[in-house]
Amino acid sequence: MARQRYHDGLALHQALPGRFLPFLVGAMTFLAALALAGGIAAHALSQRWTHGAGAVTTVQVPNPDDPAAANVGGASPAATRIHAVQDILATTPAITAAHRLTDAELRALLAPWIEQTGDGSLPLPAVIEVHIAPTRNPDNALLARLQASAPGTMVEHDSVWSDRLAALAGSLQACALLAVLIVMTVAVCVVMAATRAGLQTRRQAIALIHSLGATDGYISGRFSSRVGLLALGGGLCGGVLALPMLLAMSHLAAPFTATADTLPTMGMEWRNPRMLLDLLPHALLWMLLALPPAAGLTGWITTQLTVRAWLRRLP
């Protein structure tokens, strides 16, 4: 009994019950985790697109094995449409590299959306990934030359979509940051309200020990320690509750971030906890670990400031 009175000399377990505050802090931590996950996912997807598919120009050649219409632009004689297109791309100075995707690579890219039958009956166009020198632009007549040699050839500049996706990701990150700031503001207001309610509940006892010589640091330290521990517990609960939802969302987003090496293992994550945790970005894992201490520290600082401001108004 003496040990309990030493640790809770102001009977704060009655003034600050350990149910209401941890529940609210846990809810705020849960919402903050979801907001941070959205911002990190948008940034990761934008970076992957910008440095991956968005960094190349795609040339699609339908019916690649049909005879070429003509040999244009100094291309060497070619028997098929795909050979004619490759010859034209090879002689374009602004193009630094051109890689034709194999049928296996094409089917791996289409695997998340198209069921693979394995019989190879699905007609696929020839797809060439073209890398262009950053300081140079391809010839404006390149598309015309390709169309003359292989009618129906399409050229897609993925950088346009990557720029739009980067702008969208920036907007989503700004919204996520705003959501986190709102959640933090609400959490601070909740802690302030709970602390003021506790101060009013123990007003007479606090005024008495303050008049007897108890320092502001002693009183604020008792309150901030109690609130900090409650906020830390609530933050831990909110982070743990957010983890299953974040894992489920990461599993749904896996087809959009998987590579050709990881595609065959998709769908097996739920059987392997290690693979399941690997779905979460490392930055998100670190932020999940940092949220509970941040909640506890926010509660401690807010309570310190609230109690000291309240004590200064005592007679």
Side-chain angles (χ1 to χ4, degrees):
M1 181 66 70
R3 184 179 180 85
Q4 182 178 2
R5 285 196 300 266
Y6 173 79
H7 287 288
D8 194 11
L10 297 177
L12 296 183
H13 65 285
Q14 299 176 1
L16 296 171
R19 297 179 181 178
F20 177 73
L21 186 60
F23 173 78
L24 292 180
V25 174
M28 297 298 103
T29 304
F30 181 84
L31 294 177
L34 295 184
L36 290 173
I40 292 175
H43 176 73
L45 184 60
S46 174
Q47 290 295 315
R48 177 178 176 81
W49 182 266
T50 301
H51 298 289
V56 301
T57 297
T58 303
V59 179
Q60 298 184 23
V61 185
N63 303 318
D65 296 327
D66 290 353
N71 297 324
V72 182
S76 60
T80 61
R81 290 158 54 90
I82 184 60
H83 289 156
V85 170
Q86 288 177 321
D87 289 342
I88 294 174
L89 295 177
T91 57
T92 302
I95 296 177
T96 60
H99 167 66
R100 179 186 177 183
L101 300 183
T102 63
D103 288 343
E105 291 174 330
L106 284 176
R107 295 181 185 278
L109 291 175
L110 296 175
W113 298 277
I114 299 179
E115 181 180 1
Q116 300 300 301
T117 60
D119 57 3
S121 60
L122 181 65
L124 296 175
V127 178
I128 304 175
E129 291 183 350
V130 177
H131 294 262
I132 300 174
T135 58
R136 304 187 64 180
N137 294 321
D139 186 5
N140 293 330
L142 175 61
L143 180 58
R145 295 165 59 197
L146 294 176
Q147 288 284 355
S149 183
T153 300
M154 295 181 294
V155 178
E156 295 182 358
H157 300 283
D158 296 332
S159 59
V160 177
W161 294 102
S162 65
D163 293 341
R164 295 179 180 178
L165 185 59
L168 176 61
S171 300
L172 292 177
Q173 291 175 21
C175 292
L177 179 60
L178 179 61
V180 172
L181 292 177
I182 292 175
V183 167
M184 290 181 60
T185 302
V186 173
V188 169
C189 293
V190 167
V191 171
M192 290 179 61
T195 303
R196 289 179 179 275
L199 289 170
Q200 291 298 329
T201 301
R202 305 296 298 163
R203 181 184 181 88
Q204 293 182 353
I206 295 173
L208 176 61
I209 64 173
H210 189 264
S211 62
L212 293 177
T215 62
D216 293 355
Y218 170 81
I219 299 174
S220 61
R222 293 289 183 175
F223 271 88
S224 59
S225 298
R226 172 71 174 172
V227 173
L229 289 176
L230 293 178
L232 178 62
L236 285 172
C237 293
V240 171
L241 291 177
L243 185 59
M245 181 171 292
L246 296 180
L247 289 174
M249 295 171 61
S250 299
H251 178 73
L252 293 176
F256 301 99
T257 58
T259 61
D261 296 333
T262 58
L263 279 173
T265 61
M266 286 180 56
M268 302 173 59
E269 298 87 355
W270 301 111
R271 305 175 186 176
N272 191 330
R274 179 65 179 272
M275 294 176 60
L276 193 60
L277 288 177
D278 288 342
L279 290 176
L280 291 178
H282 292 168
L284 182 57
L285 283 175
W286 283 111
M287 287 189 178
L288 280 178
L289 293 176
L291 279 177
L297 181 61
T298 301
W300 189 88
I301 294 176
T302 303
T303 304
Q304 280 277 347
L305 297 177
T306 302
V307 173
R308 288 178 180 271
W310 187 85
L311 290 175
R312 283 196 294 267
R313 294 196 295 269
L314 287 178

